[in-house]
Amino acid sequence: KRTHYFKYLGELITENNSKKRALQARAHKLEMAYHRKREVYKKKSVFIKAKLRHYCTVIRSEALYAAECITLKGKGLVEKLALKERKILKTILGP
């Protein structure tokens, strides 16, 4: 059976080597990891430094695992990933 894409070592590989789908999958990973801990990030009783440390060690590392494989041809795709990251950081740091 022929497949159009598969995951290898955490990276999405497509038959035409398109990075768009792989970066969308990374953005989705980032969003899902954030939603699992969203309630903790919204708490005022947790220090901002602790929230940022958790974000950098768990969420960002999960989204960027094996990121050395990403080619930076499509600027718009990488910027979408950065936009999601800024949205999460805005929530952590508060208004």
Side-chain angles (χ1 to χ4, degrees):
K1 183 178 175 183
R2 185 178 173 109
T3 182
H4 299 288
Y5 64 91
F6 63 96
K7 191 176 273 192
Y8 179 71
L9 296 176
E11 181 67 20
L12 202 62
I13 309 293
T14 60
E15 64 183 346
N16 60 355
N17 203 18
S18 171
K19 297 297 176 191
K20 181 178 181 180
R21 191 167 185 137
L23 285 173
Q24 287 174 342
R26 285 185 186 278
H28 183 68
K29 268 188 192 178
L30 185 69
E31 193 75 26
M32 293 310 297
Y34 163 71
H35 280 294
R36 276 179 269 176
K37 295 294 180 182
R38 180 179 45 195
E39 295 305 317
V40 174
Y41 289 146
K42 289 184 177 183
K43 286 185 180 180
K44 300 282 185 189
S45 61
V46 180
F47 291 112
I48 291 176
K49 189 173 182 179
K51 293 176 190 179
L52 288 174
R53 190 177 322 132
H54 179 269
Y55 171 76
C56 289
T57 56
V58 177
I59 294 179
R60 185 187 285 168
S61 61
E62 182 178 331
L64 297 179
Y65 174 74
E68 65 271 3
C69 303
I70 296 175
T71 56
L72 299 176
K73 286 183 181 177
K75 252 189 173 180
L77 300 174
V78 175
E79 291 196 7
K80 285 183 183 178
L81 187 61
L83 179 70
K84 287 204 183 278
E85 184 177 19
R86 285 192 304 268
K87 177 184 164 192
I88 292 170
L89 287 173
K90 181 181 173 186
T91 304
I92 291 172
L93 298 173

